[in-house]
């Protein structure tokens, strides 16, 4: 199978390649053409996933296709953007039809869930990796950046954290668990749900936002730095996860909620007056702390004792439980 046949069979003919409102020209020419609505800015983000680094070299290609798209689409959610389109640069060791069929099916399914049109890409031979670039639009001036947090605001998350990190030993085959525990965790790792609608609902309300990809502590430190404020996380307010706590116990679950990446849940700061309306529409939203004057990120327990781990971020928590 030649390069053009491969592109045609698996990607150009996928349902998600049929275009959309803001797609003036899709796959097949030297460039795709986008026509963003007047008054909107284009939001663009790229993510690369490398086999053996960002996912196990041997894994289900359908799940990988879903995940590759979801991790990029989540950046649009974090910016408050509406989804428009994506490109796919795919490097493959060989053209394995079974692999390509599964991968394209997973990619297409997630693309349709996220309303993202495939508008182009590149296909090359080499060690397995994939780069997805997503394009979205947001009304000028309303994008959710990291730099607007102010003392007195609330720190919120859009859902449960730590579950994708809890799934990692299961993904890597280092550990087994009953289906009731393993399935919800594995779903969180392989099929993150980009919070696009929540991101859009936060336009004009949240003062800073991002999606948690490296761990809540590490990602909050990005907001703290960009906004020149301190963030305080109240550990007991982090949403509970029955499967995570059943698999690893409360203490380790807390470490993962603070330090593990890959959840792709939104974290944002919010002036308190916006909380009642938002939390009635978004029951999965949790207030987990507050913004203070100062710098850095602190974690407090229920008694207010500082329990900040010495090193934040995902590296610290890579050791097996
Ligand atoms: P060029 O020679 O201009 O780089 P290519 O031969 O790489 O073009 O690609 C031909 C067309 O197919 C282009 O429109 C490109 O965007 C698209 N394309 C290539 N690879 C992919 C892919 N993996 N998924 C979707 N579209 C692709
Ligand atoms: Mg090319």
């Amino acid at each position: 199978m030649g390069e053009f046949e491969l592109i045609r069979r698996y990607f150009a003919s996928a349902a998600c390649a049929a275009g959309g409102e803001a797609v003036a020209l899709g796959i097949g020419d030297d460039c795709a053409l986008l026509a963003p609505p007047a008054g909107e800015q284009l939001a663009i983000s790229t993510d690369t996933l490398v086999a053996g680094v960002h996912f196990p070299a041997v894994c289900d290609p359908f799940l990988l296709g879903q995940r590759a798209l979801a991790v990029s689409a989540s950046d649009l959610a974090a910016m408050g953007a509406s989804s428009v389109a994506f490109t796919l640069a795919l490097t493959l060791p060989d053209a394995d039809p079974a692999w390509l069929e599964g991968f394209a099916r997973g990619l297409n399914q997630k693309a349709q869930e996220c309303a993202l049109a495939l508008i182009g890409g590149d296909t090359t031979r080499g060690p397995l990796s994939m780069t997805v670039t997503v394009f979205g639009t947001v009304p000028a001036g309303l994008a959710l950046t990291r730099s607007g947090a102010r003392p007195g605001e609330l720190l919120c998350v859009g859902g449960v954290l730590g579950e994708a990190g809890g799934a990692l030993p299961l993904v890597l085959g280092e550990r087994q668990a009953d289906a009731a525990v393993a399935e919800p965790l594995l779903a969180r790792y392989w099929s993150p749900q980009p919070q696009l609608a929540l991101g859009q609902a936060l336009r004009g309300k949240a003062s800073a936002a991002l999606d948690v990809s490296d761990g809540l502590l590490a990602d909050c430190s990005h907001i703290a730095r960009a906004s020149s404020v301190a963030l305080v996380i109240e550990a007991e307010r982090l949403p509970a996860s029955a499967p995570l706590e059943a698999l690893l116990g409360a203490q380790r679950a807390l470490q993962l909620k603070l330090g593990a990446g890959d959840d792709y849940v939104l974290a944002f700061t919010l002036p308190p007056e916006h909380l009642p309306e938002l939390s009635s529409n978004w029951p999965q939203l949790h207030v987990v702390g507050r913004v203070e004057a100062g710098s850095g990120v602190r974690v407090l327990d229920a008694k207010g004792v500082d329990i900040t781990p010495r090193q934040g971020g995902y590296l610290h928590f890579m050791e097996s439980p």
Side-chain angles (χ1 to χ4, degrees), residues 87-109:
T87 61
L88 169 70
L90 190 57
T91 303
L92 298 169
D94 49 37
D96 173 356
W99 191 93
L100 278 159
E101 187 277 325
F103 178 78
R105 203 158 38 81
L107 188 84
N108 183 61
Q109 181 168 314

Side-chain angles (χ1 to χ4, degrees), residues 49-52 55-57 59 64 90-93 99 103 126-130:
L49 301 183
V50 177
F55 60 90
C59 68
L64 183 59
L90 190 57
T91 303
L92 298 169
W99 191 93
F103 178 78
L128 179 62
S129 78
M130 58 215 58

Side-chain angles (χ1 to χ4, degrees), residues 58-227:
V58 177
C59 68
D60 181 339
F62 173 81
L63 296 174
L64 183 59
Q66 287 198 324
R67 184 162 188 272
L69 193 63
V71 303
S72 290
S74 178
D75 285 318
L76 293 178
M79 219 60 194
S82 302
S83 35
V84 174
F86 72 105
T87 61
L88 169 70
L90 190 57
T91 303
L92 298 169
D94 49 37
D96 173 356
W99 191 93
L100 278 159
E101 187 277 325
F103 178 78
R105 203 158 38 81
L107 188 84
N108 183 61
Q109 181 168 314
K110 200 52 125 180
Q112 294 198 290
E113 267 173 49
C114 296
L116 282 164
L118 178 58
I119 56 165
D122 199 21
T123 308
T124 52
R125 191 180 290 270
L128 179 62
S129 78
M130 58 215 58
T131 297
V132 173
T133 301
V134 288
F135 301 83
T137 55
V138 60
L142 288 186
L144 307 174
T145 66
R146 300 176 174 192
S147 56
R150 296 292 171 261
E153 293 176 344
L154 305 170
L155 173 64
C156 305
V157 297
V160 177
L161 293 165
E163 292 189 335
L168 210 53
L170 306 171
V171 169
L172 297 173
E174 295 169 359
R175 193 173 173 150
Q176 313 287 318
D178 292 344
V181 166
E183 273 168 18
L185 297 180
L186 286 168
R188 295 277 293 184
Y189 178 86
W190 283 118
S191 183
Q193 305 292 323
Q195 298 193 295
L196 288 154
L198 175 59
Q200 290 160 31
L202 294 177
R203 288 175 186 165
K205 298 193 172 81
S207 54
L210 44 63
D211 59 325
V212 178
S213 56
D214 295 334
L216 184 63
L217 271 174
D219 287 318
C220 281
S221 75
H222 298 318
I223 292 181
R225 196 174 307 112
S227 299

